Amino acid sequence: MSSEKVKCLIIGSGPAGYTAAIYASRANLAPVLYTGKEPGGQLTITNDVENYPGYPDGVMGPQMMEDFKNQALRFGTDIRYELISKVDFSGHPHKIWSETGHEIEADSVIIATGASAKWLGIPSEQKLMNKGVSACAVCDGFFFRGQEVAIVGGGDTAAEEATYLAKMCKKVHLLVRKGEMRASKIMQERVLKTENLIVHWHTETAEILGEDSVTGVRIRNLQSGEESELPVTGFFVAIGHKPNTDIFEGWLDMDENKYLKATPGRSFTKVEGVFVSGDAADHIYRQAVTAAGSGCMAALDAERYLADKGII
Ligand code: NDP
């Protein structure tokens, strides 16, 4: 098996990973970045991004990630289109393996593996993805202003996003599969107090309707089995996210939902020389701009760490 030694290894290619790469390469850390299975991350499955500063006319998510990548390449980041499948953080340098078995020894590691939205898993959801189906109300709600939309979920995310959507949409249908919500009491109260927000209890999504855009949703009452249709043009899924942190299990501290724990306000993990950025450690903000900011922090922390150790 092949092996090599690097000063800075970046795992992940969303806004956090590429921003870390831009900073690390400009600091002469000669970073190597592994993109993972979905180069560009979650933004590659969105359409217009209108809330990232610096793009006054908006930008398509995939194009924005292409811009991030080209900026990282411009300063010499070595980008590899492969997945990291195993790490060993027991000593220094850290050991990391790619899916093909290539071994890397790294003085510093920046984790930017992100999170993935959970989906319902029905065929129409896949077919209409980005054609009215979205997993991010803050990103895409604006495109449905004045319209009628549905959102699935019963947790804090669904409650928060439903009230967010209610501010700009004509009517919002919240589809909750149980007779109660898991969301905090205060969020539930907000949901129930919002006039144009209708909660459908014991309800699941039978099918999202439409060919090239969402024209409605067929819902099923789980108690009566009765089906009915809602005339929505937008369909949001807010049933949780899964951080892509499986390979760090046993090495780094995680919360109960497997998000990595960092020192508050910093990118440090409990392992020296291993830094974390982006959605892998953030279940609250989950925005491209906050991920990019934390990627910058991780690269600056890595640079200082390598300087303190006399490696650079
Ligand atoms: P959660 O895991 O808390 O909730 C997921 C919700 O989706 C549950 O109500 C669940 O239903 C429902 N669900 C899961 N799968 C399906 C499915 N296939 N069909 C229909 N419904 C489904 O995820 P969240 O993203 O809401 O929250 C994650 C964490 O982030 C939580 O700890 C939350 O408190 C926190 N958070 C905090 C916020 C804040 O404080 N402002 C804002 C947002 C999140 P069921 O209950 O039946 O299992």
Side-chain angles (χ1 to χ4, degrees), residues 118-120 152-158 160 175-178 180-184 187 203-204 238-241 256-257 259 283-284 286:
K118 291 184 192 162
W119 296 98
L120 297 174
V152 188
D156 279 321
T157 303
E160 197 170 77
L175 314 180
V176 182
R177 66 180 175 182
K178 289 188 183 143
E180 60 190 6
M181 289 180 77
R182 194 190 295 188
S184 52
M187 293 301 293
T203 298
E204 71 173 1
I239 59 172
H241 284 77
E256 67 278 12
N257 294 318
Y259 284 89
H283 66 85
I284 297 172
R286 296 199 297 249

PDB file of all heavy atoms in Angstrom, residues 118-120 152-158 160 175-178 180-184 187 203-204 238-241 256-257 259 283-284 286, ligand 1:
ATOM      1  N   LYS A 118     -31.665  14.045   6.415  1.00  0.00           N
ATOM      2  CA  LYS A 118     -32.404  12.785   6.294  1.00  0.00           C
ATOM      3  C   LYS A 118     -33.596  13.039   5.380  1.00  0.00           C
ATOM      4  O   LYS A 118     -34.205  14.108   5.421  1.00  0.00           O
ATOM      5  CB  LYS A 118     -32.902  12.331   7.667  1.00  0.00           C
ATOM      6  CG  LYS A 118     -31.786  11.891   8.599  1.00  0.00           C
ATOM      7  CD  LYS A 118     -32.395  11.372   9.890  1.00  0.00           C
ATOM      8  CE  LYS A 118     -31.352  11.184  10.956  1.00  0.00           C
ATOM      9  NZ  LYS A 118     -31.931  11.096  12.300  1.00  0.00           N
ATOM     10  N   TRP A 119     -33.919  12.042   4.588  1.00  0.00           N
ATOM     11  CA  TRP A 119     -35.046  12.143   3.651  1.00  0.00           C
ATOM     12  C   TRP A 119     -36.076  11.078   3.961  1.00  0.00           C
ATOM     13  O   TRP A 119     -35.776  10.087   4.628  1.00  0.00           O
ATOM     14  CB  TRP A 119     -34.536  11.984   2.209  1.00  0.00           C
ATOM     15  CG  TRP A 119     -33.606  13.074   1.790  1.00  0.00           C
ATOM     16  CD1 TRP A 119     -32.233  13.024   1.791  1.00  0.00           C
ATOM     17  CD2 TRP A 119     -33.942  14.394   1.347  1.00  0.00           C
ATOM     18  NE1 TRP A 119     -31.716  14.222   1.377  1.00  0.00           N
ATOM     19  CE2 TRP A 119     -32.735  15.084   1.089  1.00  0.00           C
ATOM     20  CE3 TRP A 119     -35.147  15.053   1.140  1.00  0.00           C
ATOM     21  CZ2 TRP A 119     -32.705  16.401   0.643  1.00  0.00           C
ATOM     22  CZ3 TRP A 119     -35.122  16.372   0.686  1.00  0.00           C
ATOM     23  CH2 TRP A 119     -33.912  17.030   0.442  1.00  0.00           C
ATOM     24  N   LEU A 120     -37.291  11.276   3.444  1.00  0.00           N
ATOM     25  CA  LEU A 120     -38.354  10.306   3.689  1.00  0.00           C
ATOM     26  C   LEU A 120     -38.086   8.989   2.966  1.00  0.00           C
ATOM     27  O   LEU A 120     -38.476   7.927   3.427  1.00  0.00           O
ATOM     28  CB  LEU A 120     -39.701  10.863   3.203  1.00  0.00           C
ATOM     29  CG  LEU A 120     -40.202  12.128   3.903  1.00  0.00           C
ATOM     30  CD1 LEU A 120     -41.465  12.631   3.224  1.00  0.00           C
ATOM     31  CD2 LEU A 120     -40.464  11.848   5.370  1.00  0.00           C
ATOM     32  N   VAL A 152     -42.520  18.498   6.656  1.00  0.00           N
ATOM     33  CA  VAL A 152     -42.648  17.272   7.454  1.00  0.00           C
ATOM     34  C   VAL A 152     -41.684  17.300   8.623  1.00  0.00           C
ATOM     35  O   VAL A 152     -40.515  17.670   8.464  1.00  0.00           O
ATOM     36  CB  VAL A 152     -42.252  16.028   6.617  1.00  0.00           C
ATOM     37  CG1 VAL A 152     -42.564  14.743   7.383  1.00  0.00           C
ATOM     38  CG2 VAL A 152     -42.961  16.011   5.300  1.00  0.00           C
ATOM     39  N   GLY A 153     -42.147  16.833   9.787  1.00  0.00           N
ATOM     40  CA  GLY A 153     -41.262  16.690  10.944  1.00  0.00           C
ATOM     41  C   GLY A 153     -41.950  17.163  12.206  1.00  0.00           C
ATOM     42  O   GLY A 153     -42.918  17.926  12.141  1.00  0.00           O
ATOM     43  N   GLY A 154     -41.430  16.721  13.341  1.00  0.00           N
ATOM     44  CA  GLY A 154     -42.046  17.116  14.609  1.00  0.00           C
ATOM     45  C   GLY A 154     -41.028  17.583  15.626  1.00  0.00           C
ATOM     46  O   GLY A 154     -41.347  17.765  16.798  1.00  0.00           O
ATOM     47  N   GLY A 155     -39.778  17.789  15.179  1.00  0.00           N
ATOM     48  CA  GLY A 155     -38.723  18.232  16.095  1.00  0.00           C
ATOM     49  C   GLY A 155     -38.560  19.744  16.074  1.00  0.00           C
ATOM     50  O   GLY A 155     -39.369  20.466  15.468  1.00  0.00           O
ATOM     51  N   ASP A 156     -37.534  20.222  16.744  1.00  0.00           N
ATOM     52  CA  ASP A 156     -37.287  21.673  16.805  1.00  0.00           C
ATOM     53  C   ASP A 156     -37.024  22.262  15.422  1.00  0.00           C
ATOM     54  O   ASP A 156     -37.425  23.390  15.140  1.00  0.00           O
ATOM     55  CB  ASP A 156     -36.085  21.967  17.716  1.00  0.00           C
ATOM     56  CG  ASP A 156     -36.484  21.967  19.178  1.00  0.00           C
ATOM     57  OD1 ASP A 156     -37.581  22.464  19.485  1.00  0.00           O
ATOM     58  OD2 ASP A 156     -35.706  21.459  20.004  1.00  0.00           O
ATOM     59  N   THR A 157     -36.328  21.513  14.579  1.00  0.00           N
ATOM     60  CA  THR A 157     -36.047  22.035  13.240  1.00  0.00           C
ATOM     61  C   THR A 157     -37.340  22.273  12.482  1.00  0.00           C
ATOM     62  O   THR A 157     -37.563  23.336  11.898  1.00  0.00           O
ATOM     63  CB  THR A 157     -35.143  21.067  12.437  1.00  0.00           C
ATOM     64  OG1 THR A 157     -33.945  20.853  13.181  1.00  0.00           O
ATOM     65  CG2 THR A 157     -34.793  21.625  11.075  1.00  0.00           C
ATOM     66  N   ALA A 158     -38.220  21.268  12.497  1.00  0.00           N
ATOM     67  CA  ALA A 158     -39.496  21.395  11.773  1.00  0.00           C
ATOM     68  C   ALA A 158     -40.310  22.551  12.342  1.00  0.00           C
ATOM     69  O   ALA A 158     -40.892  23.343  11.584  1.00  0.00           O
ATOM     70  CB  ALA A 158     -40.277  20.082  11.865  1.00  0.00           C
ATOM     71  N   GLU A 160     -39.241  25.205  13.987  1.00  0.00           N
ATOM     72  CA  GLU A 160     -38.600  26.485  13.672  1.00  0.00           C
ATOM     73  C   GLU A 160     -38.788  26.841  12.187  1.00  0.00           C
ATOM     74  O   GLU A 160     -39.128  27.977  11.850  1.00  0.00           O
ATOM     75  CB  GLU A 160     -37.101  26.365  13.995  1.00  0.00           C
ATOM     76  CG  GLU A 160     -36.381  27.661  14.106  1.00  0.00           C
ATOM     77  CD  GLU A 160     -34.982  27.453  14.676  1.00  0.00           C
ATOM     78  OE1 GLU A 160     -34.094  26.998  13.931  1.00  0.00           O
ATOM     79  OE2 GLU A 160     -34.790  27.723  15.860  1.00  0.00           O
ATOM     80  N   LEU A 175     -46.738  18.476   8.709  1.00  0.00           N
ATOM     81  CA  LEU A 175     -47.159  17.076   8.743  1.00  0.00           C
ATOM     82  C   LEU A 175     -46.390  16.341   9.839  1.00  0.00           C
ATOM     83  O   LEU A 175     -45.172  16.168   9.744  1.00  0.00           O
ATOM     84  CB  LEU A 175     -46.909  16.413   7.380  1.00  0.00           C
ATOM     85  CG  LEU A 175     -47.360  17.216   6.133  1.00  0.00           C
ATOM     86  CD1 LEU A 175     -47.047  16.447   4.856  1.00  0.00           C
ATOM     87  CD2 LEU A 175     -48.851  17.547   6.208  1.00  0.00           C
ATOM     88  N   VAL A 176     -47.112  15.932  10.873  1.00  0.00           N
ATOM     89  CA  VAL A 176     -46.491  15.282  12.041  1.00  0.00           C
ATOM     90  C   VAL A 176     -47.007  13.846  12.116  1.00  0.00           C
ATOM     91  O   VAL A 176     -48.229  13.628  12.123  1.00  0.00           O
ATOM     92  CB  VAL A 176     -46.844  16.048  13.340  1.00  0.00           C
ATOM     93  CG1 VAL A 176     -46.165  15.404  14.544  1.00  0.00           C
ATOM     94  CG2 VAL A 176     -46.432  17.518  13.226  1.00  0.00           C
ATOM     95  N   ARG A 177     -46.086  12.887  12.186  1.00  0.00           N
ATOM     96  CA  ARG A 177     -46.553  11.491  12.107  1.00  0.00           C
ATOM     97  C   ARG A 177     -47.193  10.974  13.401  1.00  0.00           C
ATOM     98  O   ARG A 177     -47.934   9.997  13.376  1.00  0.00           O
ATOM     99  CB  ARG A 177     -45.410  10.581  11.660  1.00  0.00           C
ATOM    100  CG  ARG A 177     -44.266  10.460  12.636  1.00  0.00           C
ATOM    101  CD  ARG A 177     -43.200   9.529  12.070  1.00  0.00           C
ATOM    102  NE  ARG A 177     -42.024   9.486  12.928  1.00  0.00           N
ATOM    103  CZ  ARG A 177     -40.934   8.796  12.655  1.00  0.00           C
ATOM    104  NH1 ARG A 177     -40.860   8.103  11.536  1.00  0.00           N
ATOM    105  NH2 ARG A 177     -39.907   8.796  13.480  1.00  0.00           N
ATOM    106  N   LYS A 178     -46.873  11.606  14.536  1.00  0.00           N
ATOM    107  CA  LYS A 178     -47.497  11.182  15.799  1.00  0.00           C
ATOM    108  C   LYS A 178     -48.599  12.170  16.194  1.00  0.00           C
ATOM    109  O   LYS A 178     -48.860  13.133  15.481  1.00  0.00           O
ATOM    110  CB  LYS A 178     -46.442  11.148  16.898  1.00  0.00           C
ATOM    111  CG  LYS A 178     -45.450  10.007  16.741  1.00  0.00           C
ATOM    112  CD  LYS A 178     -44.554   9.910  17.957  1.00  0.00           C
ATOM    113  CE  LYS A 178     -43.504   8.818  17.767  1.00  0.00           C
ATOM    114  NZ  LYS A 178     -42.220   9.181  18.349  1.00  0.00           N
ATOM    115  N   GLU A 180     -48.209  13.989  18.750  1.00  0.00           N
ATOM    116  CA  GLU A 180     -47.480  14.989  19.535  1.00  0.00           C
ATOM    117  C   GLU A 180     -46.182  15.339  18.817  1.00  0.00           C
ATOM    118  O   GLU A 180     -45.743  14.607  17.929  1.00  0.00           O
ATOM    119  CB  GLU A 180     -47.147  14.418  20.920  1.00  0.00           C
ATOM    120  CG  GLU A 180     -46.283  13.179  20.802  1.00  0.00           C
ATOM    121  CD  GLU A 180     -46.096  12.415  22.098  1.00  0.00           C
ATOM    122  OE1 GLU A 180     -46.728  12.778  23.096  1.00  0.00           O
ATOM    123  OE2 GLU A 180     -45.318  11.453  22.084  1.00  0.00           O
ATOM    124  N   MET A 181     -45.595  16.458  19.244  1.00  0.00           N
ATOM    125  CA  MET A 181     -44.330  16.876  18.636  1.00  0.00           C
ATOM    126  C   MET A 181     -43.190  16.659  19.614  1.00  0.00           C
ATOM    127  O   MET A 181     -43.373  16.773  20.823  1.00  0.00           O
ATOM    128  CB  MET A 181     -44.399  18.360  18.266  1.00  0.00           C
ATOM    129  CG  MET A 181     -45.316  18.646  17.109  1.00  0.00           C
ATOM    130  SD  MET A 181     -45.351  20.406  16.739  1.00  0.00           S
ATOM    131  CE  MET A 181     -43.793  20.596  15.859  1.00  0.00           C
ATOM    132  N   ARG A 182     -42.031  16.377  19.055  1.00  0.00           N
ATOM    133  CA  ARG A 182     -40.856  16.219  19.886  1.00  0.00           C
ATOM    134  C   ARG A 182     -40.211  17.585  20.218  1.00  0.00           C
ATOM    135  O   ARG A 182     -39.392  17.702  21.117  1.00  0.00           O
ATOM    136  CB  ARG A 182     -39.837  15.356  19.120  1.00  0.00           C
ATOM    137  CG  ARG A 182     -38.727  14.834  19.974  1.00  0.00           C
ATOM    138  CD  ARG A 182     -37.649  14.213  19.131  1.00  0.00           C
ATOM    139  NE  ARG A 182     -38.110  13.020  18.409  1.00  0.00           N
ATOM    140  CZ  ARG A 182     -37.286  12.236  17.737  1.00  0.00           C
ATOM    141  NH1 ARG A 182     -36.006  12.495  17.692  1.00  0.00           N
ATOM    142  NH2 ARG A 182     -37.747  11.188  17.086  1.00  0.00           N
ATOM    143  N   ALA A 183     -40.618  18.591  19.482  1.00  0.00           N
ATOM    144  CA  ALA A 183     -40.025  19.929  19.651  1.00  0.00           C
ATOM    145  C   ALA A 183     -40.242  20.459  21.070  1.00  0.00           C
ATOM    146  O   ALA A 183     -41.166  20.029  21.764  1.00  0.00           O
ATOM    147  CB  ALA A 183     -40.668  20.882  18.646  1.00  0.00           C
ATOM    148  N   SER A 184     -39.386  21.388  21.482  1.00  0.00           N
ATOM    149  CA  SER A 184     -39.508  21.994  22.806  1.00  0.00           C
ATOM    150  C   SER A 184     -40.877  22.688  22.932  1.00  0.00           C
ATOM    151  O   SER A 184     -41.455  23.119  21.932  1.00  0.00           O
ATOM    152  CB  SER A 184     -38.377  22.989  23.027  1.00  0.00           C
ATOM    153  OG  SER A 184     -38.335  23.892  21.941  1.00  0.00           O
ATOM    154  N   MET A 187     -41.365  26.087  21.294  1.00  0.00           N
ATOM    155  CA  MET A 187     -41.456  26.032  19.829  1.00  0.00           C
ATOM    156  C   MET A 187     -42.840  25.527  19.408  1.00  0.00           C
ATOM    157  O   MET A 187     -43.427  26.002  18.445  1.00  0.00           O
ATOM    158  CB  MET A 187     -40.372  25.119  19.252  1.00  0.00           C
ATOM    159  CG  MET A 187     -38.954  25.622  19.425  1.00  0.00           C
ATOM    160  SD  MET A 187     -38.712  27.218  18.655  1.00  0.00           S
ATOM    161  CE  MET A 187     -38.903  26.790  16.940  1.00  0.00           C
ATOM    162  N   THR A 203     -50.064  12.107  10.617  1.00  0.00           N
ATOM    163  CA  THR A 203     -50.122  12.210   9.155  1.00  0.00           C
ATOM    164  C   THR A 203     -48.778  11.877   8.517  1.00  0.00           C
ATOM    165  O   THR A 203     -47.730  12.357   8.966  1.00  0.00           O
ATOM    166  CB  THR A 203     -50.535  13.653   8.766  1.00  0.00           C
ATOM    167  OG1 THR A 203     -51.841  13.882   9.289  1.00  0.00           O
ATOM    168  CG2 THR A 203     -50.543  13.857   7.261  1.00  0.00           C
ATOM    169  N   GLU A 204     -48.850  11.054   7.499  1.00  0.00           N
ATOM    170  CA  GLU A 204     -47.625  10.786   6.744  1.00  0.00           C
ATOM    171  C   GLU A 204     -47.815  11.193   5.288  1.00  0.00           C
ATOM    172  O   GLU A 204     -48.934  11.406   4.817  1.00  0.00           O
ATOM    173  CB  GLU A 204     -47.205   9.307   6.852  1.00  0.00           C
ATOM    174  CG  GLU A 204     -48.099   8.354   6.115  1.00  0.00           C
ATOM    175  CD  GLU A 204     -47.553   6.932   6.101  1.00  0.00           C
ATOM    176  OE1 GLU A 204     -46.480   6.673   6.679  1.00  0.00           O
ATOM    177  OE2 GLU A 204     -48.224   6.071   5.510  1.00  0.00           O
ATOM    178  N   ALA A 238     -37.961  18.135   7.147  1.00  0.00           N
ATOM    179  CA  ALA A 238     -37.183  18.593   8.315  1.00  0.00           C
ATOM    180  C   ALA A 238     -37.216  17.520   9.378  1.00  0.00           C
ATOM    181  O   ALA A 238     -37.694  17.715  10.493  1.00  0.00           O
ATOM    182  CB  ALA A 238     -37.769  19.906   8.835  1.00  0.00           C
ATOM    183  N   ILE A 239     -36.712  16.331   8.999  1.00  0.00           N
ATOM    184  CA  ILE A 239     -36.788  15.198   9.924  1.00  0.00           C
ATOM    185  C   ILE A 239     -35.413  14.880  10.519  1.00  0.00           C
ATOM    186  O   ILE A 239     -35.190  13.799  11.032  1.00  0.00           O
ATOM    187  CB  ILE A 239     -37.411  13.962   9.240  1.00  0.00           C
ATOM    188  CG1 ILE A 239     -36.588  13.528   8.019  1.00  0.00           C
ATOM    189  CG2 ILE A 239     -38.851  14.243   8.833  1.00  0.00           C
ATOM    190  CD1 ILE A 239     -37.060  12.201   7.419  1.00  0.00           C
ATOM    191  N   GLY A 240     -34.531  15.843  10.464  1.00  0.00           N
ATOM    192  CA  GLY A 240     -33.225  15.683  11.108  1.00  0.00           C
ATOM    193  C   GLY A 240     -32.075  15.567  10.123  1.00  0.00           C
ATOM    194  O   GLY A 240     -32.279  15.420   8.912  1.00  0.00           O
ATOM    195  N   HIS A 241     -30.888  15.694  10.656  1.00  0.00           N
ATOM    196  CA  HIS A 241     -29.659  15.565   9.878  1.00  0.00           C
ATOM    197  C   HIS A 241     -28.793  14.511  10.533  1.00  0.00           C
ATOM    198  O   HIS A 241     -28.899  14.268  11.734  1.00  0.00           O
ATOM    199  CB  HIS A 241     -28.877  16.883   9.862  1.00  0.00           C
ATOM    200  CG  HIS A 241     -29.466  17.900   8.944  1.00  0.00           C
ATOM    201  ND1 HIS A 241     -30.581  18.615   9.267  1.00  0.00           N
ATOM    202  CD2 HIS A 241     -29.089  18.303   7.700  1.00  0.00           C
ATOM    203  CE1 HIS A 241     -30.883  19.421   8.269  1.00  0.00           C
ATOM    204  NE2 HIS A 241     -29.994  19.250   7.297  1.00  0.00           N
ATOM    205  N   GLU A 256     -24.934  13.349  21.793  1.00  0.00           N
ATOM    206  CA  GLU A 256     -25.784  12.152  21.654  1.00  0.00           C
ATOM    207  C   GLU A 256     -26.250  11.943  20.209  1.00  0.00           C
ATOM    208  O   GLU A 256     -26.639  10.850  19.830  1.00  0.00           O
ATOM    209  CB  GLU A 256     -26.972  12.196  22.638  1.00  0.00           C
ATOM    210  CG  GLU A 256     -28.020  13.272  22.391  1.00  0.00           C
ATOM    211  CD  GLU A 256     -27.643  14.647  22.956  1.00  0.00           C
ATOM    212  OE1 GLU A 256     -26.465  14.844  23.352  1.00  0.00           O
ATOM    213  OE2 GLU A 256     -28.505  15.536  22.986  1.00  0.00           O
ATOM    214  N   ASN A 257     -26.190  13.001  19.379  1.00  0.00           N
ATOM    215  CA  ASN A 257     -26.586  12.847  17.971  1.00  0.00           C
ATOM    216  C   ASN A 257     -25.383  12.676  17.046  1.00  0.00           C
ATOM    217  O   ASN A 257     -25.494  12.838  15.833  1.00  0.00           O
ATOM    218  CB  ASN A 257     -27.420  14.052  17.521  1.00  0.00           C
ATOM    219  CG  ASN A 257     -28.743  14.124  18.246  1.00  0.00           C
ATOM    220  OD1 ASN A 257     -29.401  13.096  18.440  1.00  0.00           O
ATOM    221  ND2 ASN A 257     -29.135  15.305  18.691  1.00  0.00           N
ATOM    222  N   TYR A 259     -22.743  14.577  16.688  1.00  0.00           N
ATOM    223  CA  TYR A 259     -22.029  15.783  16.245  1.00  0.00           C
ATOM    224  C   TYR A 259     -20.743  15.872  17.053  1.00  0.00           C
ATOM    225  O   TYR A 259     -20.728  15.574  18.260  1.00  0.00           O
ATOM    226  CB  TYR A 259     -22.879  17.045  16.481  1.00  0.00           C
ATOM    227  CG  TYR A 259     -23.980  17.196  15.460  1.00  0.00           C
ATOM    228  CD1 TYR A 259     -25.230  16.634  15.656  1.00  0.00           C
ATOM    229  CD2 TYR A 259     -23.748  17.889  14.273  1.00  0.00           C
ATOM    230  CE1 TYR A 259     -26.231  16.746  14.705  1.00  0.00           C
ATOM    231  CE2 TYR A 259     -24.752  18.008  13.309  1.00  0.00           C
ATOM    232  CZ  TYR A 259     -25.985  17.436  13.535  1.00  0.00           C
ATOM    233  OH  TYR A 259     -26.971  17.549  12.584  1.00  0.00           O
ATOM    234  N   HIS A 283     -25.032  21.680  14.804  1.00  0.00           N
ATOM    235  CA  HIS A 283     -26.410  21.312  14.475  1.00  0.00           C
ATOM    236  C   HIS A 283     -27.323  22.521  14.583  1.00  0.00           C
ATOM    237  O   HIS A 283     -28.538  22.416  14.425  1.00  0.00           O
ATOM    238  CB  HIS A 283     -26.894  20.174  15.375  1.00  0.00           C
ATOM    239  CG  HIS A 283     -27.017  20.566  16.816  1.00  0.00           C
ATOM    240  ND1 HIS A 283     -28.125  21.174  17.325  1.00  0.00           N
ATOM    241  CD2 HIS A 283     -26.141  20.469  17.844  1.00  0.00           C
ATOM    242  CE1 HIS A 283     -27.942  21.423  18.598  1.00  0.00           C
ATOM    243  NE2 HIS A 283     -26.746  21.014  18.942  1.00  0.00           N
ATOM    244  N   ILE A 284     -26.768  23.667  14.876  1.00  0.00           N
ATOM    245  CA  ILE A 284     -27.615  24.837  15.118  1.00  0.00           C
ATOM    246  C   ILE A 284     -27.713  25.756  13.890  1.00  0.00           C
ATOM    247  O   ILE A 284     -28.798  26.017  13.381  1.00  0.00           O
ATOM    248  CB  ILE A 284     -27.114  25.632  16.336  1.00  0.00           C
ATOM    249  CG1 ILE A 284     -27.210  24.752  17.588  1.00  0.00           C
ATOM    250  CG2 ILE A 284     -27.957  26.908  16.533  1.00  0.00           C
ATOM    251  CD1 ILE A 284     -26.580  25.336  18.810  1.00  0.00           C
ATOM    252  N   ARG A 286     -25.793  25.674  10.643  1.00  0.00           N
ATOM    253  CA  ARG A 286     -25.846  24.882   9.391  1.00  0.00           C
ATOM    254  C   ARG A 286     -25.943  25.722   8.123  1.00  0.00           C
ATOM    255  O   ARG A 286     -26.640  25.359   7.181  1.00  0.00           O
ATOM    256  CB  ARG A 286     -27.028  23.905   9.440  1.00  0.00           C
ATOM    257  CG  ARG A 286     -26.923  22.863  10.511  1.00  0.00           C
ATOM    258  CD  ARG A 286     -27.828  21.702  10.238  1.00  0.00           C
ATOM    259  NE  ARG A 286     -29.208  22.057  10.243  1.00  0.00           N
ATOM    260  CZ  ARG A 286     -30.094  21.679  11.149  1.00  0.00           C
ATOM    261  NH1 ARG A 286     -29.725  20.893  12.129  1.00  0.00           N
ATOM    262  NH2 ARG A 286     -31.332  22.042  11.074  1.00  0.00           N
TER     263      ARG A 286
HETATM  264  P1  NDP B   1     -35.082  15.523  15.696  1.00  0.00           P
HETATM  265  O1  NDP B   1     -34.376  14.220  15.556  1.00  0.00           O
HETATM  266  O2  NDP B   1     -35.175  16.151  17.030  1.00  0.00           O
HETATM  267  O3  NDP B   1     -36.580  15.365  15.176  1.00  0.00           O
HETATM  268  C1  NDP B   1     -36.873  14.725  14.004  1.00  0.00           C
HETATM  269  C2  NDP B   1     -38.378  14.749  13.822  1.00  0.00           C
HETATM  270  O4  NDP B   1     -38.672  14.221  12.543  1.00  0.00           O
HETATM  271  C3  NDP B   1     -39.125  13.941  14.843  1.00  0.00           C
HETATM  272  O5  NDP B   1     -40.298  14.621  15.228  1.00  0.00           O
HETATM  273  C4  NDP B   1     -39.473  12.673  14.091  1.00  0.00           C
HETATM  274  O6  NDP B   1     -40.691  12.108  14.453  1.00  0.00           O
HETATM  275  C5  NDP B   1     -39.617  13.173  12.689  1.00  0.00           C
HETATM  276  N1  NDP B   1     -39.333  12.132  11.703  1.00  0.00           N
HETATM  277  C6  NDP B   1     -38.229  11.352  11.614  1.00  0.00           C
HETATM  278  N2  NDP B   1     -38.318  10.535  10.557  1.00  0.00           N
HETATM  279  C7  NDP B   1     -39.525  10.791   9.988  1.00  0.00           C
HETATM  280  C8  NDP B   1     -40.200  10.272   8.867  1.00  0.00           C
HETATM  281  N3  NDP B   1     -39.664   9.312   8.120  1.00  0.00           N
HETATM  282  N4  NDP B   1     -41.423  10.765   8.576  1.00  0.00           N
HETATM  283  C9  NDP B   1     -41.979  11.735   9.311  1.00  0.00           C
HETATM  284  N5  NDP B   1     -41.386  12.285  10.394  1.00  0.00           N
HETATM  285  C10 NDP B   1     -40.169  11.814  10.714  1.00  0.00           C
HETATM  286  O7  NDP B   1     -34.382  16.473  14.593  1.00  0.00           O
HETATM  287  P2  NDP B   1     -34.296  18.044  14.509  1.00  0.00           P
HETATM  288  O8  NDP B   1     -33.550  18.346  13.261  1.00  0.00           O
HETATM  289  O9  NDP B   1     -35.617  18.655  14.670  1.00  0.00           O
HETATM  290  O10 NDP B   1     -33.399  18.471  15.731  1.00  0.00           O
HETATM  291  C11 NDP B   1     -32.070  17.940  15.901  1.00  0.00           C
HETATM  292  C12 NDP B   1     -31.474  18.497  17.204  1.00  0.00           C
HETATM  293  O11 NDP B   1     -31.230  19.897  17.030  1.00  0.00           O
HETATM  294  C13 NDP B   1     -32.415  18.387  18.397  1.00  0.00           C
HETATM  295  O12 NDP B   1     -31.661  18.118  19.542  1.00  0.00           O
HETATM  296  C14 NDP B   1     -33.061  19.741  18.461  1.00  0.00           C
HETATM  297  O13 NDP B   1     -33.528  20.056  19.768  1.00  0.00           O
HETATM  298  C15 NDP B   1     -31.923  20.643  18.026  1.00  0.00           C
HETATM  299  N6  NDP B   1     -32.417  21.907  17.452  1.00  0.00           N
HETATM  300  C16 NDP B   1     -32.541  22.991  18.250  1.00  0.00           C
HETATM  301  C17 NDP B   1     -33.031  24.170  17.774  1.00  0.00           C
HETATM  302  C18 NDP B   1     -33.136  25.327  18.688  1.00  0.00           C
HETATM  303  O14 NDP B   1     -32.893  25.157  19.878  1.00  0.00           O
HETATM  304  N7  NDP B   1     -33.503  26.488  18.214  1.00  0.00           N
HETATM  305  C19 NDP B   1     -33.425  24.341  16.367  1.00  0.00           C
HETATM  306  C20 NDP B   1     -33.275  23.142  15.605  1.00  0.00           C
HETATM  307  C21 NDP B   1     -32.797  21.977  16.137  1.00  0.00           C
HETATM  308  P3  NDP B   1     -40.924  11.290  15.829  1.00  0.00           P
HETATM  309  O15 NDP B   1     -41.012  12.348  16.897  1.00  0.00           O
HETATM  310  O16 NDP B   1     -42.210  10.614  15.558  1.00  0.00           O
HETATM  311  O17 NDP B   1     -39.772  10.372  15.970  1.00  0.00           O
END
